[in-house]
Amino acid sequence: MMEMESSKTVPAGVSVQGAKVQGVSVRLSKVTRTYGDVRALSELDLAASPGEFVVMLGPSGCGKTTALRALAGLEQIDSGAVYIGGKDVSRLPASKRSIGMVFQSYSLFPNMTSAANVEFGLKVRGFSSAERRKQAHEMLEMVGLIEQADRFPHQMSGGQQQRVALARALAIKPEVLLLDEPLSALDAKVRANLREQIKQLQREVGITTFFVTHDQEEALSLADRVAVMNNGNLEQFGTPTEVYSSPETDFVASFVGTVNVFYGTVLDDKVAIVPNVGNFTYVRRTGTPAPGDRAEILVRPEAITVKGDLEGEYLVSDVTFLGSNVRIRVQKEGSTFTIIQGSSDIDIVAPGSRASLDAKGSAILVRSKL
Amino acid sequence: MTVSSLGEDRESEGGFGGNNTSEPIKGSATRSVVRFLKYGNWRRFMGVLPFIVYLGIFLLIPAISVVVDAFKGDNGNFTLSNFSIGFSGVYFESFKNSIQLSLFSAVISTVVGLLVALAIVASPGRTLRAVVTAGSGVFANTGGVPLAFSFVATLGNFGLVTELLTKIGYNPYNHGFSLYSVLGLTIVYEYFLIPLMVLIMIPPIDALRKEWVDAAASLGATRIQFWRYIGGPLLAPPLLAGFLVLFTDSFAAYATAAALTSGTIPIVPIQIGSLISGNVLVGHAHLGNALGAGMIGVVIIAAIMYGFVQRRASRWLR
Amino acid sequence: MASVIGVPAKSSGVGGSNVLRVGKVFRAVVLGAVGLFFIVPVISSARFSFTGSSAGFSFSAYSKLLSDPQFWSTLFLSVKIGVGTVTLSLAILIPTTVWVHWKAPKIRRVMEALSLLPLVIPSVVITLGVITSFGSLPNIIMGTPVILALEYVVLALPYTYRTLDSGVQALDIKTLVEAGQSLGAPFRKILWWVLLPNLKSGVLGVVVLAFAFCLGEFAVASLLSFTTFAVYLVQIGQTQASEAIAFSLIALLFTWIPLSIVTVVFSRRAGKKSRRGGGVLMSSQSVTELVELSE
Ligand SMILES: Nc1ncnc2c1ncn2[C@@H]1O[C@H](COP(=O)(O)OP(=O)(O)O)[C@@H](O)[C@H]1O
Ligand SMILES: [Mg+2]
């Protein structure tokens, strides 16, 4: 909360005063890690700008944790390099990398109070006990747990423990903050709450952050940029909007968000047609079928509207009220399509009735029919 | 040894199955007392009465009578003379020997047991671990007479190891060693104490989480600092508790020593044994009781320390 | 200790779940040395029993032993005491453990702690106490091995109680009992027809442990002047070392084999519902887990 981006001459490592840390750039370059036959990371390239909030998203087992641990120095890499602030740290052990790390759960030292946990990193750095106490106090205040300072981990809720873990990670004023599914062990309400807190804190502190999750909603809401991973590879690296609205690969299209797969025809460079639904604009890329070809057209639920139509091709199978939105499922020839509409339109269709669909926006991907 | 766990049953486990109708949720204290008597809450403990009574007759009464009679002279009057003899001269020496024997054997087995537990918990496969655990379970149960004789065959005057050592020019019996001494007993006791320590230490080592090591490393701690601030403090209570268990165990051991030395080694259990077997000091029929009371005293001190260790640890125990 | 932990090992595919990275060399040295310590006495005993202190291989120690009528009579006495102890233990412990799980689960921990009390009081002291307090009882109790069986029930409690207790815990006692009651069976019948068959492995554990205890117990028996198997062993050990050692080897094998079976059976069962990562300092639990028949 001091000046925004301060001078770039702040030395790497620990800066003591103030919560504001100069973000640094971080880069993984062709990082490979194999376990026996499993290739957990294969030539992964990933770069974050100073102060950026990067979320790594992917299915379980795709190598997110391995990537994060390689970045932290907790996992050896077979080849490739890790740069933090432009410096090659590949050979440095975790304890020398100036990294703050938050784990999924149970990472607080059970024999220490919250305050002692937060102080730990400063203690091993040789800070005086007065200094440690002062900083731990600040950090606990920052995460709103000052009353819990003398509690042991087992006396706190999961959400509180994770906040202490966050305070502990930030107390050493690291250059990079790494979070490995820090919210996945919490219940929904706490999770949403803490998510907001993490985001806000990151903004305030301005630290370059990598956040691992398999929850796409979490990823899209938190990230400056989302790194979608699959099988140890980076599938796409872009802003949430890019990843959601113009996925670069089939995997991203189907993994992030819900998609409807329509069969249609490519009309020209900008528009594809789904019979009886309408025209969808799209963006060409390599591999897009030529104009005139049959194609699969991938469309988000929000890019379609549904209306009651006695003659309609689609059978409404399910209508779910989600608050401000309504999710409608319709079926045609064994395929299911999902449509999301504002709830003011709810009276349009009822389960069991027939309906027709209308194009409203653009397709996220047009690919040749499999 | 584990008497202290009496005080620890307020833990979560008590909750299971406890949600009975007899649990007074509302109503005043008096009403719940009435309900307790009327609706037979006490009857729930009737089922364990036979067990308690049996334990009382065959364990508590003998134990208490030992202590009570320790204060009686031959004429039945109160006296402290049993103790003044029991804690002087040869008997004092035997207390010293016993405590020394128990301390040494417990220290050695604590260290070795910890090393073995560390070695197998960190081993990659499950087989080695399963074998060592099962083996420990079995060896921890070995003791007494057969153990004594198998060590006679090993380290006795004509034992295999003695023989081998003699062949390479080092007969331990020429260098002051004897199997039939406190040192010899220390070695023999390791045979059941080490496996016991292995069994005690496996669960707490197992429970050390990878996250703690990783978190410590990411916070800048070296491995030594991890052990100093986290691993060490977490393992210390079970280690200390285990040590006290081993101490008590070897302090109380009788059969191995009796069989090995034909009842001649000056340690307390053997002295009590020979007093029981009729070598009674005239005028002090209850001297053995005083020694027994002394043993109980030592064990109680160990038990109190054990309870203290557990209490310290329970601050951060979930 | 730092050197112990400091040796980094390459993380391997399987396992590796634990935090400790221990070097192969360290592991080999520790386990090798300790393993040797445990095996050498067995080898030495075997050798000694076959050769005695003289040279040459013979079974004479064994054949002399087996033709000694006192060997058989003391063995028979110990077996009788064992049967008595086992019967009495089961008669007391089955109803008690079932009751605790069924009616008073809250006092489970207390009961467990009580069952460990005999570990606290040295058996020599208990013997002394038995003489002091029961010395005047009629000869039928104090003058016969009955008193041994009565005391062995108590002294074996630390092993037997827990074994049965964990066996009972594996059953859903409440459901079983209530199902039985809903069919109109009285408690005694439920115990006999429903619970016992389901408690087989726990009962077997008690039988093995209590029996092994009785065969090996020396302190109380010798101090109360009964020549049981273990006492006889010591007596012949005074004069005939190789027989005594042959005898010991047999005794060791006879306790180890059933104990390994029990250990394997029980550890397998415990493994199924293992609660890893629970409390670090479960030593109070693990101490209660210790099974220690040394005396
Ligand atoms: N220590 C390990 N030993 C063997 N295989 C591992 C190890 N750690 C991870 N893997 C494998 O590497 C792959 C990636 O794992 P991980 O990075 O944990 O995935 P994620 O965090 O995305 O769920 C998985 O197939 C996993 O089985
Ligand atoms: Mg993961």
Side-chain angles (χ1 to χ4, degrees), chain C residues 18 36 49-50 52 68 87 89 91 113 117 148 163 169 195 242 254 271 284:
Chain C
N18 198 270
L36 212 59
S49 72
F50 288 125
D68 182 348
T87 315
S89 295
L117 272 180
L148 283 186
T163 309
Q169 195 186 16
L195 299 180
S242 60
F254 269 78
S284 55

PDB file of all heavy atoms in Angstrom, chain C residues 18 36 49-50 52 68 87 89 91 113 117 148 163 169 195 242 254 271 284:
ATOM      1  N   ASN C  18       7.385 -41.053   2.952  1.00  0.00           N
ATOM      2  CA  ASN C  18       7.861 -40.451   4.182  1.00  0.00           C
ATOM      3  C   ASN C  18       8.839 -39.332   3.923  1.00  0.00           C
ATOM      4  O   ASN C  18       9.477 -39.251   2.880  1.00  0.00           O
ATOM      5  CB  ASN C  18       8.500 -41.509   5.067  1.00  0.00           C
ATOM      6  CG  ASN C  18       8.601 -41.016   6.487  1.00  0.00           C
ATOM      7  OD1 ASN C  18       9.612 -40.417   6.842  1.00  0.00           O
ATOM      8  ND2 ASN C  18       7.562 -41.182   7.263  1.00  0.00           N
ATOM      9  N   LEU C  36      22.260 -58.862  12.811  1.00  0.00           N
ATOM     10  CA  LEU C  36      23.285 -59.795  13.270  1.00  0.00           C
ATOM     11  C   LEU C  36      23.122 -60.074  14.764  1.00  0.00           C
ATOM     12  O   LEU C  36      23.170 -61.210  15.218  1.00  0.00           O
ATOM     13  CB  LEU C  36      24.662 -59.175  13.002  1.00  0.00           C
ATOM     14  CG  LEU C  36      25.793 -60.143  12.681  1.00  0.00           C
ATOM     15  CD1 LEU C  36      25.448 -60.966  11.444  1.00  0.00           C
ATOM     16  CD2 LEU C  36      27.085 -59.374  12.458  1.00  0.00           C
ATOM     17  N   SER C  49      23.729 -76.576  20.898  1.00  0.00           N
ATOM     18  CA  SER C  49      22.834 -77.678  21.228  1.00  0.00           C
ATOM     19  C   SER C  49      23.202 -78.942  20.466  1.00  0.00           C
ATOM     20  O   SER C  49      22.904 -80.038  20.899  1.00  0.00           O
ATOM     21  CB  SER C  49      21.387 -77.289  20.926  1.00  0.00           C
ATOM     22  OG  SER C  49      21.181 -77.244  19.541  1.00  0.00           O
ATOM     23  N   PHE C  50      23.852 -78.764  19.319  1.00  0.00           N
ATOM     24  CA  PHE C  50      24.219 -79.946  18.545  1.00  0.00           C
ATOM     25  C   PHE C  50      25.598 -80.479  18.913  1.00  0.00           C
ATOM     26  O   PHE C  50      25.910 -81.633  18.668  1.00  0.00           O
ATOM     27  CB  PHE C  50      24.184 -79.652  17.047  1.00  0.00           C
ATOM     28  CG  PHE C  50      22.768 -79.518  16.536  1.00  0.00           C
ATOM     29  CD1 PHE C  50      22.369 -78.375  15.864  1.00  0.00           C
ATOM     30  CD2 PHE C  50      21.838 -80.540  16.748  1.00  0.00           C
ATOM     31  CE1 PHE C  50      21.070 -78.253  15.406  1.00  0.00           C
ATOM     32  CE2 PHE C  50      20.546 -80.408  16.285  1.00  0.00           C
ATOM     33  CZ  PHE C  50      20.154 -79.259  15.619  1.00  0.00           C
ATOM     34  N   GLY C  52      27.434 -79.354  21.973  1.00  0.00           N
ATOM     35  CA  GLY C  52      27.851 -79.188  23.356  1.00  0.00           C
ATOM     36  C   GLY C  52      29.165 -78.456  23.377  1.00  0.00           C
ATOM     37  O   GLY C  52      29.525 -77.789  22.408  1.00  0.00           O
ATOM     38  N   ASP C  68      14.016 -87.541  29.317  1.00  0.00           N
ATOM     39  CA  ASP C  68      13.962 -87.166  30.732  1.00  0.00           C
ATOM     40  C   ASP C  68      12.507 -87.042  31.165  1.00  0.00           C
ATOM     41  O   ASP C  68      11.772 -86.204  30.653  1.00  0.00           O
ATOM     42  CB  ASP C  68      14.689 -85.827  30.913  1.00  0.00           C
ATOM     43  CG  ASP C  68      14.718 -85.402  32.366  1.00  0.00           C
ATOM     44  OD1 ASP C  68      13.995 -86.011  33.189  1.00  0.00           O
ATOM     45  OD2 ASP C  68      15.457 -84.449  32.670  1.00  0.00           O
ATOM     46  N   THR C  87      -8.397 -70.273  29.976  1.00  0.00           N
ATOM     47  CA  THR C  87      -9.834 -70.383  30.220  1.00  0.00           C
ATOM     48  C   THR C  87     -10.339 -69.228  31.086  1.00  0.00           C
ATOM     49  O   THR C  87     -11.317 -68.555  30.756  1.00  0.00           O
ATOM     50  CB  THR C  87     -10.148 -71.713  30.941  1.00  0.00           C
ATOM     51  OG1 THR C  87      -9.422 -72.751  30.298  1.00  0.00           O
ATOM     52  CG2 THR C  87     -11.623 -72.016  30.906  1.00  0.00           C
ATOM     53  N   SER C  89      -8.874 -66.367  31.635  1.00  0.00           N
ATOM     54  CA  SER C  89      -8.723 -65.081  30.938  1.00  0.00           C
ATOM     55  C   SER C  89      -9.906 -64.834  30.022  1.00  0.00           C
ATOM     56  O   SER C  89     -10.505 -63.752  30.025  1.00  0.00           O
ATOM     57  CB  SER C  89      -7.443 -65.063  30.102  1.00  0.00           C
ATOM     58  OG  SER C  89      -6.320 -65.131  30.918  1.00  0.00           O
ATOM     59  N   ALA C  91     -12.840 -66.213  30.107  1.00  0.00           N
ATOM     60  CA  ALA C  91     -14.092 -66.091  30.856  1.00  0.00           C
ATOM     61  C   ALA C  91     -14.262 -64.687  31.408  1.00  0.00           C
ATOM     62  O   ALA C  91     -15.376 -64.165  31.483  1.00  0.00           O
ATOM     63  CB  ALA C  91     -14.128 -67.113  31.989  1.00  0.00           C
ATOM     64  N   ALA C 113      -5.995 -48.725  30.244  1.00  0.00           N
ATOM     65  CA  ALA C 113      -4.931 -48.320  31.159  1.00  0.00           C
ATOM     66  C   ALA C 113      -4.851 -49.291  32.329  1.00  0.00           C
ATOM     67  O   ALA C 113      -3.758 -49.692  32.737  1.00  0.00           O
ATOM     68  CB  ALA C 113      -5.190 -46.907  31.658  1.00  0.00           C
ATOM     69  N   LEU C 117      -1.661 -52.007  33.975  1.00  0.00           N
ATOM     70  CA  LEU C 117      -1.077 -51.866  35.317  1.00  0.00           C
ATOM     71  C   LEU C 117      -0.038 -52.936  35.662  1.00  0.00           C
ATOM     72  O   LEU C 117       0.986 -52.630  36.266  1.00  0.00           O
ATOM     73  CB  LEU C 117      -2.181 -51.863  36.375  1.00  0.00           C
ATOM     74  CG  LEU C 117      -2.782 -50.499  36.706  1.00  0.00           C
ATOM     75  CD1 LEU C 117      -3.862 -50.658  37.784  1.00  0.00           C
ATOM     76  CD2 LEU C 117      -1.695 -49.549  37.209  1.00  0.00           C
ATOM     77  N   LEU C 148      -0.836 -69.896  40.642  1.00  0.00           N
ATOM     78  CA  LEU C 148      -0.101 -69.427  39.463  1.00  0.00           C
ATOM     79  C   LEU C 148      -1.063 -69.008  38.360  1.00  0.00           C
ATOM     80  O   LEU C 148      -0.950 -67.932  37.777  1.00  0.00           O
ATOM     81  CB  LEU C 148       0.834 -70.517  38.948  1.00  0.00           C
ATOM     82  CG  LEU C 148       2.134 -70.735  39.718  1.00  0.00           C
ATOM     83  CD1 LEU C 148       3.003 -71.735  38.987  1.00  0.00           C
ATOM     84  CD2 LEU C 148       2.874 -69.414  39.881  1.00  0.00           C
ATOM     85  N   THR C 163      -5.538 -57.417  22.893  1.00  0.00           N
ATOM     86  CA  THR C 163      -5.804 -58.261  21.736  1.00  0.00           C
ATOM     87  C   THR C 163      -7.301 -58.464  21.561  1.00  0.00           C
ATOM     88  O   THR C 163      -7.849 -58.288  20.477  1.00  0.00           O
ATOM     89  CB  THR C 163      -5.122 -59.629  21.926  1.00  0.00           C
ATOM     90  OG1 THR C 163      -3.766 -59.398  22.260  1.00  0.00           O
ATOM     91  CG2 THR C 163      -5.210 -60.448  20.677  1.00  0.00           C
ATOM     92  N   GLN C 169     -13.461 -54.509  18.883  1.00  0.00           N
ATOM     93  CA  GLN C 169     -13.677 -53.229  18.207  1.00  0.00           C
ATOM     94  C   GLN C 169     -13.976 -53.422  16.721  1.00  0.00           C
ATOM     95  O   GLN C 169     -14.699 -52.654  16.115  1.00  0.00           O
ATOM     96  CB  GLN C 169     -12.456 -52.335  18.374  1.00  0.00           C
ATOM     97  CG  GLN C 169     -12.788 -50.909  18.004  1.00  0.00           C
ATOM     98  CD  GLN C 169     -11.568 -50.025  18.006  1.00  0.00           C
ATOM     99  OE1 GLN C 169     -10.437 -50.509  17.997  1.00  0.00           O
ATOM    100  NE2 GLN C 169     -11.790 -48.736  18.021  1.00  0.00           N
ATOM    101  N   LEU C 195     -21.594 -63.435  18.988  1.00  0.00           N
ATOM    102  CA  LEU C 195     -20.337 -62.686  19.136  1.00  0.00           C
ATOM    103  C   LEU C 195     -19.111 -63.590  19.070  1.00  0.00           C
ATOM    104  O   LEU C 195     -18.142 -63.282  18.379  1.00  0.00           O
ATOM    105  CB  LEU C 195     -20.349 -61.907  20.451  1.00  0.00           C
ATOM    106  CG  LEU C 195     -21.476 -60.884  20.541  1.00  0.00           C
ATOM    107  CD1 LEU C 195     -21.427 -60.158  21.868  1.00  0.00           C
ATOM    108  CD2 LEU C 195     -21.364 -59.889  19.392  1.00  0.00           C
ATOM    109  N   SER C 242      24.407 -77.787  27.638  1.00  0.00           N
ATOM    110  CA  SER C 242      23.967 -77.999  26.258  1.00  0.00           C
ATOM    111  C   SER C 242      22.515 -78.444  26.202  1.00  0.00           C
ATOM    112  O   SER C 242      21.769 -78.046  25.315  1.00  0.00           O
ATOM    113  CB  SER C 242      24.875 -78.980  25.530  1.00  0.00           C
ATOM    114  OG  SER C 242      24.866 -80.211  26.200  1.00  0.00           O
ATOM    115  N   PHE C 254       9.184 -72.317  19.808  1.00  0.00           N
ATOM    116  CA  PHE C 254       7.779 -72.547  20.103  1.00  0.00           C
ATOM    117  C   PHE C 254       7.035 -71.281  20.473  1.00  0.00           C
ATOM    118  O   PHE C 254       5.825 -71.217  20.356  1.00  0.00           O
ATOM    119  CB  PHE C 254       7.629 -73.608  21.209  1.00  0.00           C
ATOM    120  CG  PHE C 254       7.499 -74.989  20.662  1.00  0.00           C
ATOM    121  CD1 PHE C 254       8.622 -75.672  20.217  1.00  0.00           C
ATOM    122  CD2 PHE C 254       6.258 -75.592  20.524  1.00  0.00           C
ATOM    123  CE1 PHE C 254       8.510 -76.942  19.666  1.00  0.00           C
ATOM    124  CE2 PHE C 254       6.140 -76.844  19.964  1.00  0.00           C
ATOM    125  CZ  PHE C 254       7.272 -77.530  19.538  1.00  0.00           C
ATOM    126  N   GLY C 271      -3.413 -52.884   9.545  1.00  0.00           N
ATOM    127  CA  GLY C 271      -3.016 -52.133   8.361  1.00  0.00           C
ATOM    128  C   GLY C 271      -4.203 -51.661   7.562  1.00  0.00           C
ATOM    129  O   GLY C 271      -4.183 -50.594   6.964  1.00  0.00           O
ATOM    130  N   SER C 284       1.328 -42.536  23.403  1.00  0.00           N
ATOM    131  CA  SER C 284       0.512 -43.169  24.425  1.00  0.00           C
ATOM    132  C   SER C 284      -0.175 -44.379  23.810  1.00  0.00           C
ATOM    133  O   SER C 284      -0.281 -45.428  24.422  1.00  0.00           O
ATOM    134  CB  SER C 284      -0.514 -42.193  24.979  1.00  0.00           C
ATOM    135  OG  SER C 284      -1.281 -41.657  23.947  1.00  0.00           O
TER     136      SER C 284
END
